[in-house]
Coordinates of all heavy atoms in Angstrom, one line a residue:
M799 N 15.4 -28.3 7.6 CA 16.0 -27.0 7.3 C 15.0 -25.8 7.7 O 13.8 -26.1 7.7 CB 16.3 -26.8 5.9 CG 17.0 -25.5 5.4 SD 17.8 -25.6 3.9 CE 18.7 -24.1 4.0
L800 N 15.6 -24.7 8.0 CA 14.7 -23.5 8.3 C 14.3 -22.8 7.1 O 15.1 -22.7 6.1 CB 15.4 -22.6 9.2 CG 15.7 -23.1 10.7 CD1 16.5 -22.1 11.5 CD2 14.5 -23.6 11.4
Y801 N 13.2 -22.2 7.1 CA 12.6 -21.3 6.0 C 12.0 -20.1 6.6 O 11.4 -20.1 7.7 CB 11.6 -22.1 5.2 CG 12.3 -23.3 4.5 CD1 12.3 -24.5 5.1 CD2 12.8 -23.2 3.2 CE1 12.9 -25.6 4.6 CE2 13.4 -24.3 2.6 CZ 13.4 -25.5 3.3 OH 14.1 -26.5 2.7
I802 N 12.2 -19.0 5.8 CA 11.5 -17.8 6.2 C 10.3 -17.6 5.3 O 10.4 -17.8 4.1 CB 12.4 -16.6 6.3 CG1 11.7 -15.4 6.7 CG2 13.0 -16.3 4.9 CD1 12.6 -14.2 7.2
I803 N 9.2 -17.3 5.9 CA 7.9 -17.0 5.2 C 7.7 -15.5 5.4 O 7.5 -15.1 6.5 CB 6.8 -17.8 5.6 CG1 7.0 -19.3 5.4 CG2 5.5 -17.4 4.9 CD1 6.1 -20.2 6.1
Y804 N 7.8 -14.8 4.4 CA 7.6 -13.3 4.5 C 6.4 -12.9 3.6 O 6.3 -13.1 2.5 CB 8.9 -12.5 3.9 CG 8.8 -11.0 3.9 CD1 8.9 -10.3 5.0 CD2 8.3 -10.4 2.7 CE1 8.8 -8.9 5.1 CE2 8.2 -9.0 2.7 CZ 8.5 -8.3 3.9 OH 8.3 -6.9 3.9
A805 N 5.4 -12.3 4.3 CA 4.1 -12.0 3.7 C 3.8 -10.5 3.8 O 4.0 -10.0 4.8 CB 3.1 -12.9 4.3
E806 N 3.4 -10.0 2.6 CA 3.0 -8.6 2.7 C 1.5 -8.4 2.6 O 0.8 -9.2 1.8 CB 3.6 -7.9 1.5 CG 5.1 -7.9 1.5 CD 5.8 -7.3 0.2 OE1 5.9 -6.1 0.2 OE2 6.1 -8.1 -0.7
D807 N 1.0 -7.5 3.4 CA -0.5 -7.4 3.5 C -1.0 -6.5 2.3 O -0.3 -5.6 1.9 CB -0.9 -6.7 4.9 CG -0.9 -7.5 6.0 OD1 -0.3 -8.6 6.0 OD2 -1.6 -7.2 7.1
N808 N -2.2 -6.8 2.0 CA -3.0 -5.9 1.0 C -3.3 -4.7 1.9 O -3.4 -4.7 3.1 CB -4.3 -6.5 0.6 CG -4.0 -7.6 -0.5 OD1 -3.5 -7.2 -1.5 ND2 -4.5 -8.8 -0.3
A809 N -3.6 -3.6 1.3 CA -4.1 -2.4 1.8 C -5.3 -2.6 2.5 O -6.2 -3.4 2.0 CB -4.1 -1.2 0.8
D810 N -5.6 -2.0 3.7 CA -6.8 -2.1 4.4 C -7.2 -3.5 4.7 O -8.4 -3.9 4.5 CB -7.9 -1.3 3.6 CG -7.6 0.1 3.4 OD1 -7.2 0.8 4.3 OD2 -8.0 0.6 2.3
S811 N -6.3 -4.3 5.1 CA -6.5 -5.7 5.4 C -6.8 -6.1 6.9 O -7.0 -7.2 7.2 CB -5.4 -6.6 4.9 OG -4.1 -6.3 5.7
L812 N -6.8 -5.0 7.7 CA -7.0 -5.2 9.1 C -8.2 -5.9 9.6 O -8.1 -6.9 10.4 CB -6.9 -3.9 10.0 CG -6.9 -4.0 11.5 CD1 -5.7 -4.9 11.9 CD2 -6.9 -2.6 12.1
E813 N -9.3 -5.7 9.0 CA -10.5 -6.3 9.3 C -10.5 -7.8 8.9 O -10.9 -8.7 9.7 CB -11.8 -5.7 8.6 CG -13.1 -6.3 9.1 CD -14.2 -5.5 8.4 OE1 -14.2 -4.3 8.3 OE2 -15.2 -6.2 8.0
K814 N -10.0 -8.2 7.8 CA -9.8 -9.5 7.3 C -8.9 -10.2 8.3 O -9.0 -11.4 8.7 CB -9.3 -9.5 5.9 CG -10.3 -9.1 4.9 CD -9.7 -9.2 3.4 CE -10.6 -8.6 2.4 NZ -9.9 -8.5 1.1
R815 N -7.8 -9.6 8.6 CA -6.7 -10.1 9.4 C -7.3 -10.5 10.7 O -7.1 -11.6 11.3 CB -5.6 -9.1 9.6 CG -4.4 -9.6 10.4 CD -3.4 -8.5 10.7 NE -2.3 -8.6 9.6 CZ -1.3 -9.3 9.8 NH1 -1.1 -10.0 10.8 NH2 -0.3 -9.3 8.8
T816 N -8.1 -9.6 11.3 CA -8.7 -9.8 12.6 C -9.7 -11.0 12.7 O -9.7 -11.8 13.6 CB -9.4 -8.5 13.1 OG1 -8.4 -7.5 13.1 CG2 -10.0 -8.7 14.5
S817 N -10.5 -11.1 11.5 CA -11.5 -12.1 11.5 C -10.9 -13.5 11.4 O -11.6 -14.4 11.9 CB -12.4 -11.8 10.3 OG -11.8 -12.1 9.1
V818 N -9.7 -13.7 10.9 CA -9.3 -15.1 10.8 C -8.0 -15.3 11.7 O -7.4 -16.4 11.6 CB -8.9 -15.4 9.3 CG1 -10.2 -15.5 8.4 CG2 -7.9 -14.5 8.6
R819 N -7.6 -14.4 12.5 CA -6.5 -14.5 13.3 C -6.5 -15.7 14.3 O -5.5 -16.4 14.3 CB -6.4 -13.2 14.2 CG -5.1 -13.2 15.0 CD -4.9 -11.9 15.7 NE -3.6 -11.8 16.3 CZ -3.4 -11.9 17.6 NH1 -4.4 -12.2 18.4 NH2 -2.1 -11.8 18.0
P820 N -7.6 -16.2 14.8 CA -7.6 -17.4 15.6 C -7.2 -18.6 14.9 O -6.3 -19.4 15.4 CB -9.0 -17.5 16.1 CG -9.6 -16.1 16.1 CD -8.9 -15.4 15.0
A821 N -7.6 -18.8 13.7 CA -7.2 -19.9 12.8 C -5.8 -19.7 12.4 O -5.0 -20.8 12.4 CB -8.0 -19.9 11.6
H822 N -5.3 -18.6 12.1 CA -3.9 -18.3 11.8 C -3.0 -18.7 13.0 O -1.9 -19.5 12.9 CB -3.7 -16.9 11.4 CG -2.3 -16.5 11.2 ND1 -1.6 -16.8 10.1 CD2 -1.5 -15.7 12.1 CE1 -0.3 -16.2 10.2 NE2 -0.3 -15.6 11.4
L823 N -3.4 -18.3 14.2 CA -2.6 -18.5 15.4 C -2.6 -20.0 15.8 O -1.6 -20.5 16.3 CB -3.1 -17.7 16.6 CG -2.9 -16.2 16.5 CD1 -3.5 -15.5 17.7 CD2 -1.4 -15.9 16.3
A824 N -3.8 -20.8 15.6 CA -3.8 -22.1 15.8 C -2.8 -23.0 15.0 O -2.2 -23.8 15.5 CB -5.3 -22.7 15.5
R825 N -2.6 -22.6 13.8 CA -1.6 -23.2 12.8 C -0.2 -23.0 13.4 O 0.7 -23.9 13.4 CB -1.7 -22.7 11.4 CG -3.0 -23.2 10.8 CD -3.1 -22.7 9.3 NE -2.3 -23.6 8.6 CZ -1.3 -23.3 7.7 NH1 -1.0 -22.0 7.6 NH2 -0.6 -24.2 7.0
L826 N 0.1 -21.7 13.8 CA 1.4 -21.5 14.4 C 1.5 -22.2 15.7 O 2.7 -22.6 15.9 CB 1.5 -20.0 14.6 CG 1.6 -19.1 13.3 CD1 1.5 -17.6 13.7 CD2 2.9 -19.4 12.6
Q827 N 0.5 -22.4 16.5 CA 0.7 -23.1 17.7 C 1.0 -24.5 17.5 O 1.8 -25.2 18.2 CB -0.7 -23.0 18.5 CG -0.5 -23.6 19.9 CD 0.5 -22.9 20.9 OE1 0.4 -21.7 21.0 NE2 1.4 -23.7 21.3
L828 N 0.5 -25.1 16.4 CA 0.8 -26.5 16.0 C 2.4 -26.6 15.7 O 3.1 -27.5 16.2 CB 0.1 -27.0 14.8 CG -1.4 -27.3 15.1 CD1 -2.1 -27.6 13.8 CD2 -1.5 -28.5 16.1
L829 N 2.9 -25.6 15.0 CA 4.4 -25.5 14.7 C 5.1 -25.4 16.0 O 6.2 -26.1 16.2 CB 4.7 -24.4 13.8 CG 4.4 -24.6 12.3 CD1 4.8 -23.3 11.5 CD2 5.0 -25.8 11.7
Q830 N 4.6 -24.6 16.9 CA 5.3 -24.4 18.2 C 5.3 -25.7 19.0 O 6.3 -26.1 19.6 CB 4.6 -23.3 18.9 CG 5.1 -23.0 20.3 CD 6.5 -22.3 20.3 OE1 6.8 -21.7 19.4 NE2 7.1 -22.4 21.4
D831 N 4.2 -26.3 19.0 CA 4.0 -27.6 19.8 C 4.9 -28.7 19.3 O 5.4 -29.5 20.0 CB 2.6 -28.1 19.8 CG 1.6 -27.2 20.5 OD1 2.1 -26.2 21.3 OD2 0.3 -27.3 20.4
E832 N 5.2 -28.7 18.0 CA 6.1 -29.6 17.3 C 7.6 -29.3 17.5 O 8.5 -30.0 17.0 CB 5.7 -29.8 15.9 CG 4.3 -30.4 15.7 CD 3.9 -30.3 14.2 OE1 4.5 -29.7 13.3 OE2 2.9 -30.9 13.9
G833 N 7.9 -28.1 18.1 CA 9.2 -27.6 18.2 C 9.8 -27.1 17.0 O 11.1 -27.0 16.8
R834 N 9.0 -26.8 16.0 CA 9.5 -26.3 14.7 C 9.5 -24.8 14.4 O 10.0 -24.3 13.5 CB 8.7 -27.0 13.6 CG 8.8 -28.5 13.6 CD 7.9 -29.2 12.7 NE 7.8 -28.6 11.4 CZ 6.6 -28.7 10.6 NH1 5.6 -29.4 11.0 NH2 6.6 -28.1 9.5
L835 N 8.9 -24.0 15.3 CA 8.6 -22.6 15.1 C 9.8 -21.9 15.9 O 10.0 -22.1 17.0 CB 7.3 -22.2 15.7 CG 7.0 -20.7 15.6 CD1 6.9 -20.3 14.0 CD2 5.7 -20.4 16.2
I836 N 10.5 -21.0 15.1 CA 11.6 -20.2 15.7 C 11.0 -18.8 16.1 O 11.3 -18.5 17.3 CB 12.8 -20.1 14.6 CG1 13.3 -21.4 14.2 CG2 13.8 -19.2 15.3 CD1 13.7 -22.4 15.3
V837 N 10.4 -18.2 15.2 CA 9.8 -16.9 15.5 C 8.7 -16.6 14.5 O 8.6 -17.1 13.4 CB 10.9 -15.8 15.4 CG1 11.4 -15.6 13.9 CG2 10.4 -14.5 15.9
A838 N 7.6 -15.9 15.0 CA 6.5 -15.5 14.1 C 6.0 -14.2 14.7 O 5.8 -14.0 15.9 CB 5.5 -16.6 14.1
G839 N 5.5 -13.4 13.8 CA 4.8 -12.1 14.2 C 4.6 -11.2 13.0 O 5.1 -11.3 12.0
P840 N 3.7 -10.2 13.4 CA 3.3 -9.2 12.3 C 4.2 -8.0 12.4 O 5.0 -7.8 13.3 CB 1.9 -8.8 12.8 CG 2.0 -8.9 14.2 CD 2.8 -10.1 14.5
M841 N 4.2 -7.3 11.3 CA 4.9 -5.9 11.2 C 4.0 -4.9 11.3 O 3.2 -4.5 10.4 CB 5.7 -6.0 9.9 CG 6.8 -7.1 9.8 SD 7.6 -7.3 8.3 CE 6.3 -8.2 7.4
P842 N 4.0 -4.1 12.5 CA 3.1 -3.0 12.6 C 3.4 -1.9 11.5 O 4.5 -1.7 11.1 CB 3.4 -2.4 14.0 CG 4.0 -3.6 14.7 CD 4.8 -4.3 13.6
A843 N 2.2 -1.2 11.1 CA 2.4 -0.2 10.1 C 3.0 1.1 10.6 O 3.4 1.9 9.9 CB 1.0 0.0 9.5
V844 N 3.0 1.2 11.9 CA 3.6 2.3 12.6 C 4.5 1.9 13.7 O 4.4 0.7 14.1 CB 2.5 3.4 13.2 CG1 1.7 4.0 12.0 CG2 1.6 2.7 14.0
D845 N 5.3 2.8 14.2 CA 6.4 2.4 15.1 C 5.9 2.2 16.5 O 6.2 3.0 17.4 CB 7.5 3.5 15.0 CG 8.7 3.0 15.8 OD1 8.9 1.8 16.1 OD2 9.6 3.9 16.1
T846 N 5.1 1.1 16.7 CA 4.5 0.8 18.1 C 4.1 -0.6 18.0 O 3.7 -1.2 16.9 CB 3.3 1.7 18.5 OG1 2.9 1.4 19.7 CG2 2.3 1.7 17.4
N847 N 4.1 -1.4 19.2 CA 3.6 -2.7 19.2 C 2.2 -2.9 19.0 O 1.7 -3.8 18.5 CB 4.0 -3.3 20.6 CG 5.4 -3.7 20.7 OD1 6.0 -4.1 19.7 ND2 6.0 -3.6 21.8
D848 N 1.4 -1.8 19.2 CA -0.1 -1.8 19.1 C -0.4 -0.7 18.1 O -0.7 0.5 18.5 CB -0.8 -1.6 20.4 CG -2.3 -1.7 20.2 OD1 -2.9 -2.0 19.2 OD2 -3.0 -1.4 21.3
P849 N -0.4 -1.0 16.8 CA -0.7 0.0 15.8 C -2.1 0.5 15.7 O -2.4 1.4 14.9 CB -0.3 -0.7 14.5 CG -0.5 -2.0 14.8 CD -0.2 -2.3 16.2
G850 N -3.1 -0.1 16.4 CA -4.5 0.3 16.3 C -5.0 0.2 14.9 O -4.7 -0.8 14.3
V851 N -5.7 1.2 14.5 CA -6.3 1.2 13.2 C -5.4 1.3 12.0 O -5.7 0.9 10.9 CB -7.4 2.3 13.0 CG1 -8.5 2.1 14.0 CG2 -6.9 3.6 13.1
A852 N -4.1 1.6 12.3 CA -3.1 1.6 11.2 C -2.8 0.2 10.8 O -2.4 0.1 9.6 CB -1.8 2.3 11.7
G853 N -3.0 -0.7 11.6 CA -2.9 -2.2 11.2 C -1.4 -2.6 11.1 O -0.5 -2.1 11.7
F854 N -1.3 -3.6 10.0 CA 0.0 -4.2 9.8 C 0.3 -4.2 8.3 O -0.6 -4.1 7.5 CB 0.0 -5.6 10.3 CG -0.3 -5.7 11.9 CD1 -1.6 -5.8 12.3 CD2 0.7 -5.6 12.8 CE1 -1.9 -5.8 13.7 CE2 0.5 -5.7 14.1 CZ -0.9 -5.7 14.6
T855 N 1.7 -4.3 8.1 CA 2.1 -4.3 6.6 C 2.4 -5.7 6.2 O 2.7 -5.9 5.0 CB 3.3 -3.4 6.5 OG1 4.4 -3.9 7.3 CG2 2.9 -2.0 6.8
G856 N 2.5 -6.7 7.1 CA 2.8 -8.0 6.7 C 3.2 -8.9 7.9 O 3.0 -8.4 9.1
S857 N 3.8 -10.1 7.7 CA 4.1 -11.0 8.8 C 5.4 -11.6 8.3 O 5.7 -11.8 7.1 CB 3.0 -12.0 8.9 OG 1.8 -11.4 9.2
A858 N 6.1 -12.2 9.3 CA 7.2 -13.0 9.1 C 7.3 -14.2 10.0 O 6.9 -14.1 11.2 CB 8.5 -12.2 9.4
I859 N 7.6 -15.4 9.5 CA 7.6 -16.5 10.2 C 8.9 -17.3 9.9 O 9.3 -17.4 8.7 CB 6.5 -17.6 9.8 CG1 5.1 -16.9 10.1 CG2 6.6 -18.9 10.4 CD1 3.9 -17.6 9.5
I860 N 9.7 -17.8 10.8 CA 10.8 -18.7 10.6 C 10.6 -19.9 11.3 O 10.2 -20.1 12.5 CB 12.2 -18.0 11.1 CG1 12.4 -16.7 10.4 CG2 13.3 -19.0 10.9 CD1 13.7 -16.0 10.9
A861 N 10.6 -21.1 10.4 CA 10.2 -22.3 11.0 C 10.9 -23.4 10.3 O 11.3 -23.2 9.1 CB 8.6 -22.6 11.0
E862 N 10.9 -24.6 10.9 CA 11.5 -25.8 10.2 C 10.5 -26.6 9.4 O 9.4 -26.8 9.9 CB 12.1 -26.7 11.3 CG 12.8 -27.9 10.8 CD 13.4 -28.8 11.9 OE1 13.4 -28.3 13.1 OE2 13.8 -29.9 11.6
F863 N 10.9 -26.9 8.2 CA 10.1 -27.7 7.3 C 11.0 -28.8 6.6 O 12.2 -28.6 6.5 CB 9.4 -26.9 6.2 CG 8.4 -25.9 6.8 CD1 8.7 -24.7 7.1 CD2 7.1 -26.3 7.0 CE1 7.7 -23.7 7.6 CE2 6.1 -25.5 7.5 CZ 6.4 -24.2 7.8
S864 N 10.5 -29.8 6.1 CA 11.2 -30.8 5.5 C 11.8 -30.5 4.1 O 12.8 -31.1 3.6 CB 10.4 -32.2 5.4 OG 9.3 -31.9 4.5
S865 N 11.2 -29.5 3.5 CA 11.7 -29.1 2.2 C 11.1 -27.7 1.8 O 10.2 -27.2 2.5 CB 11.3 -30.0 1.1 OG 9.8 -30.1 0.9
L866 N 11.6 -27.1 0.8 CA 11.1 -25.8 0.3 C 9.6 -26.0 -0.2 O 8.8 -25.1 0.1 CB 11.9 -25.2 -0.8 CG 11.5 -23.9 -1.4 CD1 11.5 -22.8 -0.4 CD2 12.5 -23.6 -2.6
E867 N 9.4 -27.1 -0.7 CA 8.0 -27.4 -1.2 C 7.1 -27.5 0.0 O 5.9 -27.0 -0.1 CB 8.0 -28.7 -2.1 CG 8.7 -28.6 -3.4 CD 10.2 -28.8 -3.3 OE1 10.7 -29.2 -2.2 OE2 10.9 -28.4 -4.2
A868 N 7.5 -28.1 1.0 CA 6.6 -28.3 2.2 C 6.4 -26.9 2.9 O 5.2 -26.6 3.3 CB 7.3 -29.2 3.3
A869 N 7.4 -26.0 2.9 CA 7.2 -24.7 3.4 C 6.2 -23.9 2.5 O 5.4 -23.2 3.1 CB 8.5 -24.0 3.5
H870 N 6.4 -24.0 1.3 CA 5.5 -23.3 0.3 C 4.1 -23.8 0.6 O 3.1 -23.0 0.6 CB 5.8 -23.6 -1.1 CG 6.8 -22.6 -1.7 ND1 6.4 -21.3 -2.0 CD2 8.0 -22.6 -2.1 CE1 7.5 -20.7 -2.5 NE2 8.5 -21.4 -2.4
S871 N 3.8 -25.1 0.6 CA 2.5 -25.6 0.8 C 1.9 -25.2 2.1 O 0.7 -24.8 2.2 CB 2.6 -27.2 0.8 OG 3.0 -27.7 -0.4
W872 N 2.7 -25.1 3.2 CA 2.2 -24.7 4.5 C 1.8 -23.2 4.4 O 0.7 -22.9 4.9 CB 3.3 -24.8 5.6 CG 2.8 -24.6 6.9 CD1 2.2 -25.5 7.8 CD2 2.7 -23.3 7.6 NE1 1.8 -24.9 8.9 CE2 2.1 -23.5 8.9 CE3 3.1 -22.1 7.3 CZ2 1.9 -22.6 9.8 CZ3 3.0 -21.1 8.2 CH2 2.3 -21.2 9.4
A873 N 2.6 -22.4 3.8 CA 2.3 -21.0 3.6 C 1.0 -20.8 2.8 O 0.3 -19.9 3.2 CB 3.5 -20.3 3.0
E874 N 0.9 -21.5 1.7 CA -0.3 -21.4 0.9 C -1.6 -21.7 1.5 O -2.6 -21.2 1.1 CB -0.1 -22.1 -0.5 CG 1.0 -21.6 -1.3 CD 1.4 -22.5 -2.5 OE1 0.7 -23.6 -2.7 OE2 2.3 -22.2 -3.2
A875 N -1.5 -22.6 2.5 CA -2.7 -23.0 3.2 C -3.1 -22.1 4.4 O -4.0 -22.4 5.2 CB -2.5 -24.4 3.8
D876 N -2.4 -21.0 4.6 CA -2.6 -20.1 5.7 C -4.0 -19.5 5.6 O -4.3 -19.0 4.5 CB -1.5 -19.0 5.8 CG -1.6 -18.3 7.2 OD1 -2.5 -17.6 7.4 OD2 -0.6 -18.6 8.0
P877 N -4.7 -19.3 6.7 CA -6.0 -18.7 6.6 C -5.9 -17.2 6.1 O -6.9 -16.7 5.5 CB -6.6 -18.7 8.1 CG -5.9 -19.9 8.6 CD -4.5 -20.0 8.0
Y878 N -4.7 -16.5 6.4 CA -4.6 -15.2 5.9 C -4.6 -15.1 4.4 O -5.0 -14.2 3.7 CB -3.4 -14.5 6.5 CG -3.5 -14.1 8.0 CD1 -2.4 -13.5 8.6 CD2 -4.7 -14.0 8.7 CE1 -2.5 -13.1 9.9 CE2 -4.8 -13.6 9.9 CZ -3.6 -13.1 10.6 OH -3.7 -12.7 11.9
V879 N -4.0 -16.2 3.8 CA -4.0 -16.2 2.3 C -5.4 -16.4 1.8 O -5.8 -15.6 0.9 CB -3.1 -17.4 1.9 CG1 -3.2 -17.6 0.4 CG2 -1.6 -17.1 2.2
A880 N -6.1 -17.3 2.4 CA -7.5 -17.7 1.9 C -8.4 -16.4 2.1 O -9.3 -16.2 1.3 CB -8.1 -18.9 2.7
A881 N -8.2 -15.7 3.2 CA -9.1 -14.5 3.4 C -8.6 -13.2 2.6 O -9.4 -12.3 2.7 CB -9.0 -14.1 4.9
G882 N -7.5 -13.3 1.9 CA -7.1 -12.2 1.1 C -6.3 -11.2 1.9 O -6.2 -9.9 1.5
V883 N -5.8 -11.5 3.1 CA -5.0 -10.5 3.8 C -3.6 -10.3 3.1 O -3.2 -9.1 3.1 CB -4.7 -11.2 5.3 CG1 -3.7 -10.2 6.0 CG2 -6.0 -11.3 6.1
Y884 N -3.0 -11.3 2.6 CA -1.7 -11.0 2.0 C -1.8 -10.8 0.5 O -2.6 -11.4 -0.2 CB -0.8 -12.3 2.1 CG -0.5 -12.7 3.6 CD1 -0.3 -14.0 4.0 CD2 -0.2 -11.7 4.6 CE1 0.0 -14.3 5.3 CE2 0.1 -12.0 5.8 CZ 0.2 -13.3 6.2 OH 0.6 -13.6 7.5
S885 N -1.0 -9.9 0.1 CA -0.9 -9.6 -1.4 C 0.3 -10.4 -2.0 O 0.3 -10.7 -3.2 CB -0.6 -8.1 -1.6 OG 0.6 -7.7 -1.0
N886 N 1.2 -10.7 -1.2 CA 2.4 -11.5 -1.6 C 3.0 -12.3 -0.6 O 3.2 -11.8 0.6 CB 3.5 -10.4 -2.3 CG 4.6 -11.1 -2.9 OD1 4.4 -12.1 -3.8 ND2 5.8 -10.8 -2.6
V887 N 3.5 -13.5 -0.9 CA 4.0 -14.4 0.1 C 5.3 -14.9 -0.5 O 5.3 -15.5 -1.6 CB 3.1 -15.5 0.6 CG1 3.9 -16.4 1.5 CG2 1.9 -15.0 1.1
T888 N 6.4 -14.7 0.1 CA 7.7 -15.3 -0.3 C 8.2 -16.3 0.7 O 8.2 -16.0 1.9 CB 8.8 -14.1 -0.4 OG1 8.2 -13.1 -1.3 CG2 10.1 -14.6 -0.9
V889 N 8.8 -17.4 0.2 CA 9.3 -18.4 1.0 C 10.7 -18.7 0.5 O 10.9 -19.0 -0.7 CB 8.4 -19.8 1.0 CG1 9.0 -20.8 1.9 CG2 7.0 -19.4 1.3
K890 N 11.7 -18.6 1.5 CA 13.1 -18.9 1.1 C 13.8 -19.7 2.2 O 13.4 -19.6 3.4 CB 13.8 -17.5 1.0 CG 13.3 -16.8 -0.2 CD 14.2 -15.5 -0.4 CE 13.8 -14.8 -1.7 NZ 14.8 -13.9 -2.1
P891 N 14.8 -20.5 1.9 CA 15.6 -21.1 2.9 C 16.3 -20.1 3.7 O 16.6 -18.9 3.4 CB 16.7 -21.9 2.1 CG 16.1 -22.0 0.7 CD 15.2 -20.8 0.5
F892 N 16.4 -20.5 5.0 CA 17.0 -19.5 6.0 C 18.1 -20.3 6.8 O 17.9 -21.3 7.3 CB 15.9 -19.0 7.0 CG 16.4 -18.1 8.0 CD1 16.5 -16.7 7.7 CD2 16.8 -18.5 9.2 CE1 17.1 -15.8 8.7 CE2 17.2 -17.7 10.2 CZ 17.3 -16.2 9.9
K893 N 19.3 -19.7 6.8 CA 20.3 -20.3 7.6 C 20.6 -19.5 8.9 O 20.9 -18.3 8.9 CB 21.7 -20.3 6.9 CG 22.9 -20.8 7.6 CD 24.1 -20.8 6.8 CE 25.3 -21.3 7.6 NZ 26.5 -21.3 6.9
R894 N 20.4 -20.2 10.0 CA 20.5 -19.5 11.4 C 22.0 -19.5 11.7 O 22.6 -20.6 11.8 CB 19.7 -20.3 12.4 CG 19.7 -19.7 13.8 CD 18.8 -20.5 14.6 NE 18.6 -19.8 15.9 CZ 17.8 -20.2 16.9 NH1 17.0 -21.2 16.6 NH2 17.7 -19.6 17.9
V895 N 22.5 -18.3 12.0 CA 23.9 -18.3 12.5 C 23.9 -17.9 14.0 O 24.7 -18.5 14.7 CB 24.6 -17.1 11.7 CG1 25.9 -16.9 12.2 CG2 24.7 -17.5 10.2
F896 N 23.0 -17.1 14.4 CA 23.0 -16.8 15.9 C 21.5 -17.0 16.3 O 20.6 -16.9 15.6 CB 23.3 -15.4 16.2 CG 24.7 -15.0 16.0 CD1 25.1 -14.4 14.8 CD2 25.7 -15.4 16.9 CE1 26.5 -14.1 14.6 CE2 27.0 -15.0 16.7 CZ 27.4 -14.5 15.6

């Protein structure tokens, strides 16, 4: 089943986000390589693809997991969580219609 992982950034988290981004992307690449990743990306704090020092307000990932528990476990192990980038992470089942 698909699950959406919606994470909100802590204020002033850009430096932390940047420092662990390679590890975060490596985990996403594994999902991509397994054919389980539908979409993933950050939410810019301002209306542009490159927000510069404004940074990001969070991230969204839609991917396939075997269960809600598996999706939660994967989300909790994210390097952004360990580094304190995220203030809140929500994981919910997602039904793809289109």
Side-chain angles (χ1 to χ4, degrees):
M799 179 162 192
L800 295 178
Y801 295 88
I802 186 164
I803 300 168
Y804 177 79
E806 297 173 85
D807 281 20
N808 281 304
D810 300 319
S811 62
L812 184 58
E813 186 176 319
K814 291 176 184 176
R815 180 183 269 274
T816 302
S817 70
V818 295
R819 187 170 188 261
H822 172 77
L823 293 179
R825 293 182 79 236
L826 290 170
Q827 187 62 55
L828 288 174
L829 286 178
Q830 177 73 22
D831 293 347
E832 294 169 354
R834 297 169 44 205
L835 183 64
I836 304 303
V837 67
M841 294 173 280
V844 293
D845 191 16
T846 180
N847 282 329
D848 183 6
V851 298
F854 300 91
T855 61
S857 301
I859 298 166
I860 299 175
E862 183 180 344
F863 293 94
S864 61
S865 67
L866 180 59
E867 294 82 13
H870 270 289
S871 293
W872 188 91
E874 290 170 7
D876 194 290
Y878 282 175
V879 171
V883 172
Y884 295 148
S885 63
N886 186 48
V887 178
T888 303
V889 181
K890 293 187 175 194
F892 181 83
K893 181 180 175 182
R894 183 178 188 171
V895 175
F896 291 100

